[in-house]
Amino acid sequence: MNILVCISSVPDTTSPINFIDDNKKFDNKNITFIINPYDEFCLTKAIFIKESVGATITVIHVGDNTNDPVLRKALAIGADKAIRVNQPARNSKIVANCIADYCQNNSFDVIFCGKESIDYNSGQVPGFLASKLNLPFINGCINLEIEGQSATLKREIDNGHEICKCSLPLIVAGQKGLVEEKDLRIPSMRGIMTARTKPLDVIESQIDNENLIQVIQYDKPLARSECKMISEDNVEQLVELLNQEAKII
Amino acid sequence: MNVLTLIENWEGQFKKTSLETLSYGKNLADKIGAKLIAITYSGENPEKLAQYGADKIINISNGSFESITNHTIADNCIELIKEYEANYLIISNTNLGKAIGPLISNDESIGYISNAIEKPINLKPLTVKCKAFSGKAYATYQSNYEKNIISIVPNSIGEITNNSSTGEVINIEKTINEKIQIITRNKSNEKISLSDAEIVVSAGRGLKSADNWDMIEELANTLGAGTACSKPVSDMGWRPHSEHVGQTGLAINPDLYIAIGISGAIQHLAGVNSSKNIVVINTDPEAPFFKSADYGIVGDAFEVVPKLITALKNYKN
C-alpha cells in the first residue's frame, strides 16, 4: 500500500502574527515553524495503517528549503521518504497542481491532507487534488478503516456525522479524531537517527504555475477596547450593557 | 450574466447561513445588473427564497442534502454555472461549502475565494477580505479569474429580507453518479447549530464536573443560544466533541460569546476571537481571557450564572 501525506509548514500556534513590506508579507522573523497540526493527525494515522497492514509512507511539501526541517521531522516521526517540490506556495491551486503532478507519475492508494492549514485556513488543497486526479474526496474525516481495496470512513459533517464507504484510491482531509491527540506519534531518538538516512528528494515543478489568485494585503483586527469589569453583585448591569451598548439582547 | 447561490437545507429548513449567502448574492447581482438564481435540493417551500431576492429558484428534486455527496453537488453546480452563464457562485463557508468550492473551481476558468467576511471591495478584479491565521488576521484576496466562487463565513453578513423578486421556481432533476456510498447520516442533538448561532454560551473546567451543566443549558435557553465548551471538557467527555470550540475544534463567529470558567488559552481563543462581543466569567482575576474580553465578571460561576439567568428573565418582562 502506498500512502501520501501532504505536509504544510505553519507558524506555531503561539507565534505573534505580524506583517511587513507595507502589510503585504507575513513577518517570519523569529517564528517557530511546525508541521500543520491537522497534518500530524494524518501522518500518525498513516503510521497506524503501516503498522497494521504494511505501507510505504511518502510525505510531500511544496515550498523552499527553509521548510526542510519540517520534512525531516516527518521522517523522524515515521514517514519513509520525503519529497519537496521546489516552488513557492503562492496559493492553494499551485500547491495542489504540484502535488497532482507528482501523483501522476507515482500511484498512491490513500492521499492524506490535513483539513486546513492553521495559517491560511483555506482547506482547498485536498479538493483541488481530488478534482485534478479525478479521485473521490472525503473531507472532515475522523475515522478510517481500510479493508482490502476499499475503505469505510466516518466524517464530521455540518451538525452531525456520516459513515460512508469508498474504493481506493481516495483523498482524505483529516482532523482530530482520525487518531486521538494522546496517540500522536512524536520523533523518538531512533526515529531522529534513522531520519538522516531516509531520502528527502527535491524536485522542480514541471508545470505552468498560474498565479491568478493572490493576497494583496494583510490586516490585523482592531484590538478590543479594554474589558469593562462588572461587579458580581451587580449582574443586572451586564444585561443593561449587552442591551444598550452592545445591542445584542 | 447571473449570480448563482447554493442554498443548503436540512430536514426541511433552509440554513440561516445560506440565507446570508442569498443576501450577499442579491447585493452583488444588483451591483452588476444581473439576475440572482438560487440552487437548492428538495427544498420545502422553495418560493420562500424570493423574499431574500432570488429571481429564479432551481429546485433539484431528485436529491437531498441528506442523501447526496459533495461530488454530486459540485458536478451539478458546474453544469448550472455553464447553463446559466454565471460569473459568480456564492456558497456558505460550511464543511460542505469548503469541500465543493475547490471541486467546482477545478475548471481553469473559475477561481475560488474562501473565508470571506464582507462584500467585495472591488469587482474588476474581484477583491474580497477574508479571515486568516485562525482569526488573528485578515487577508485580502484578489482574483483574476473570469468567474469566481466566494464562500462566506457564517454570521458575517446577516440575512436581509428583500421582497422585490419574482422567485420563479423551476423543478429539475439532475444526474446523480456517486463514487462514494453513504451508509448513514445522523444529525447531532444540538438544538442550535454552533456555526450559525448568534449567541453562544460556553463553559470549561471551572464548572468542576459534568453534572454542573444544567445552569449553562438554562442560560443558553434563556438567550436562545447555542452551547459550546473548551477542549479539556470535551476531551474528558463532559460535553460532546461537537461543542468543542478552539484551534483543533470549531471556529465560530457569534455576535455574543459568553465564556464561563474558561481561562482563555491561545488555542481556545483561536476558535472564538472573531466573536463580536465576548463576556468572561471567571473566579481568577488573572485569567488571560479577560485580556480578550469586552465585559468581565470576576466571581464564582455557581453564583454569577444563576443571577445572570434571573436578571435576563426579569429584563424580558
Side-chain angles (χ1 to χ4, degrees):
Chain A
M1 167 151 295
N2 277 319
I3 302 178
L4 182 69
V5 182
C6 305
I7 303 268
S8 264
S9 169
V10 296
D12 164 86
T13 312
T14 55
S15 303
I17 305 297
N18 291 307
F19 303 101
I20 53 173
D21 286 359
D22 199 27
N23 279 336
K24 295 197 192 312
K25 215 171 143 206
F26 173 68
D27 183 5
N28 56 12
K29 203 164 60 153
N30 299 324
I31 299 286
T32 307
F33 282 89
I34 57 170
I35 299 177
N36 181 42
Y38 291 110
D39 304 346
E40 284 192 302
F41 289 109
C42 294
L43 181 56
T44 294
K45 183 66 180 178
I47 294 169
F48 282 13
I49 296 172
K50 176 180 177 177
E51 287 169 357
S52 128
V53 301
T56 308
I57 303 172
T58 306
V59 289
I60 188 166
H61 172 77
V62 178
D64 63 39
N65 61 5
T66 56
N67 296 325
D68 282 348
V70 149
L71 281 170
R72 292 242 170 258
K73 183 165 180 201
L75 290 171
I77 289 173
D80 299 301
K81 71 188 255 210
I83 304 284
R84 179 169 61 78
V85 182
N86 191 32
Q87 156 76 44
R90 288 204 197 91
N91 61 45
S92 303
K93 204 154 200 182
I94 288 175
V95 171
N97 283 345
C98 291
I99 297 173
D101 197 42
Y102 179 73
C103 290
Q104 306 284 18
N105 303 315
N106 297 277
S107 73
F108 294 101
D109 301 288
V110 182
I111 299 174
F112 280 108
C113 294
K115 160 183 160 175
E116 65 185 41
S117 63
I118 62 171
D119 51 5
Y120 291 95
N121 309 117
S122 302
Q124 299 174 13
V125 169
F128 279 138
L129 266 181
S131 235
K132 203 86 188 182
L133 299 171
N134 196 22
L135 290 177
F137 171 37
I138 289 97
N139 74 327
C141 186
I142 54 172
N143 198 11
L144 161 67
E145 300 298 326
I146 310 239
E147 300 125 3
Q149 277 303 107
S150 73
T152 300
L153 306 105
K154 188 172 185 188
R155 291 176 63 216
E156 194 175 87
I157 56 175
D158 297 302
N159 318 128
H161 291 109
E162 170 190 292
I163 310 260
C164 63
K165 206 168 159 154
C166 188
S167 54
L168 304 181
L170 48 72
I171 301 194
V172 170
Q175 58 191 62
K176 187 178 93 152
L178 207 50
V179 301
E180 291 309 312
E181 220 159 341
K182 59 179 172 61
D183 296 328
L184 281 173
R185 290 292 166 91
I186 56 172
S188 60
M189 239 1 257
R190 186 158 170 269
I192 297 169
M193 300 307 290
T194 52
R196 299 202 187 134
T197 61
K198 293 180 183 172
L200 196 170
D201 297 331
V202 180
I203 62 181
E204 295 300 321
S205 157
Q206 300 298 321
I207 49 184
D208 212 359
N209 283 307
E210 48 177 295
N211 197 14
L212 294 172
I213 292 199
Q214 49 193 318
V215 178
I216 57 168
Q217 161 104 8
Y218 292 100
D219 292 288
K220 284 171 71 163
L222 294 167
R224 283 177 207 267
S225 47
E226 211 176 296
C227 181
K228 242 182 196 123
M229 298 306 294
I230 293 147
S231 160
E232 56 178 320
D233 297 318
N234 190 10
V235 174
E236 292 73 18
Q237 193 194 15
L238 174 63
V239 177
E240 255 173 58
L241 287 166
L242 288 177
N243 173 260
Q244 273 147 37
E245 198 175 79
K247 298 199 195 324
I248 302 177
I249 53 174
Chain B
M1 245 199 315
N2 288 310
V3 173
L4 298 190
T5 60
L6 177 70
I7 308 301
E8 298 179 42
N9 60 59
W10 190 272
E11 288 171 0
Q13 298 260 48
F14 288 119
K15 286 192 172 183
K16 177 170 169 287
T17 172
S18 288
L19 299 178
E20 291 175 52
T21 68
L22 200 42
S23 298
Y24 193 100
K26 175 66 177 165
N27 178 271
L28 190 51
D30 285 348
K31 257 205 181 91
I32 63 176
K35 289 260 181 271
L36 177 64
I37 301 174
I39 305 166
T40 194
Y41 288 81
S42 297
E44 232 168 71
N45 307 318
E47 62 282 354
K48 179 178 160 189
L49 298 175
Q51 292 168 32
Y52 297 87
D55 296 302
K56 240 187 200 118
I57 296 137
I58 298 168
N59 188 28
I60 302 171
S61 53
N62 66 326
S64 72
F65 287 98
E66 288 88 343
S67 63
I68 56 179
T69 66
N70 294 332
H71 281 286
T72 295
I73 298 172
D75 288 343
N76 294 163
C77 284
I78 290 173
E79 287 167 23
L80 290 166
I81 288 172
K82 284 204 177 84
E83 189 180 330
Y84 286 91
E85 293 174 337
N87 281 58
Y88 296 97
L89 171 66
I90 314 298
I91 61 182
S92 298
N93 217 54
T94 50
N95 284 329
L96 189 156
K98 289 187 91 164
I100 65 171
L103 291 177
I104 302 167
S105 171
N106 179 58
D107 182 316
E108 299 303 304
S109 67
I110 308 178
Y112 173 45
I113 295 179
S114 61
N115 301 319
I117 52 157
E118 50 175 54
K119 298 178 192 136
I121 298 167
N122 224 326
L123 292 179
K124 278 183 162 74
L126 178 64
T127 309
V128 190
K129 193 171 187 177
C130 302
K131 219 173 140 176
F133 289 95
S134 300
K136 294 184 217 167
Y138 299 120
T140 299
Y141 283 88
Q142 194 171 88
S143 166
N144 289 295
Y145 283 95
E146 196 187 301
K147 302 179 227 175
N148 287 282
I149 304 163
I150 307 173
S151 72
I152 307 168
V153 173
N155 207 38
S156 315
I157 315 291
E159 65 213 77
I160 304 150
T161 317
N162 171 333
N163 12 20
S164 68
S165 301
T166 40
E168 175 198 0
V169 177
I170 304 173
N171 291 301
I172 60 171
E173 290 198 355
K174 275 281 182 202
T175 336
I176 294 179
N177 208 348
E178 304 289 24
K179 298 182 243 197
I180 299 168
Q181 181 200 354
I182 298 169
I183 302 181
T184 58
R185 263 190 190 164
N186 297 311
K187 191 169 199 270
S188 68
N189 287 326
E190 59 180 15
K191 298 176 208 117
I192 295 182
S193 153
L194 270 182
S195 22
D196 284 352
E198 284 166 7
I199 304 179
V200 173
V201 175
S202 182
R205 264 190 297 205
L207 281 237
K208 298 197 175 31
S209 146
D211 300 326
N212 294 330
W213 244 260
D214 286 345
M215 65 176 187
I216 304 297
E217 291 183 356
E218 200 189 337
L219 177 58
N221 281 336
T222 311
L223 288 164
T227 48
C229 70
S230 65
K231 182 173 181 302
V233 150
S234 142
D235 285 347
M236 287 191 285
W238 293 3
R239 298 301 291 177
H241 287 288
S242 55
E243 285 198 358
H244 165 210
V245 295
Q247 181 89 76
T248 51
L250 206 52
I252 57 175
N253 193 36
D255 295 334
L256 174 61
Y257 183 71
I258 302 178
I260 300 158
I262 301 177
S263 60
I266 291 188
Q267 292 83 353
H268 184 80
L269 291 177
V272 306
N273 54 18
S274 61
S275 309
K276 296 186 190 57
N277 292 276
I278 296 180
V279 171
V280 169
I281 299 169
N282 200 301
T283 47
D284 178 6
E286 302 300 313
F289 218 155
F290 285 118
K291 294 202 180 66
S292 303
D294 298 290
Y295 305 99
I297 300 180
V298 176
D300 183 340
F302 297 108
E303 288 178 22
V304 174
V305 174
K307 283 189 200 169
L308 182 54
I309 294 170
T310 307
L312 284 165
K313 286 185 172 154
N314 289 339
Y315 199 84
K316 273 185 172 179
N317 314 325

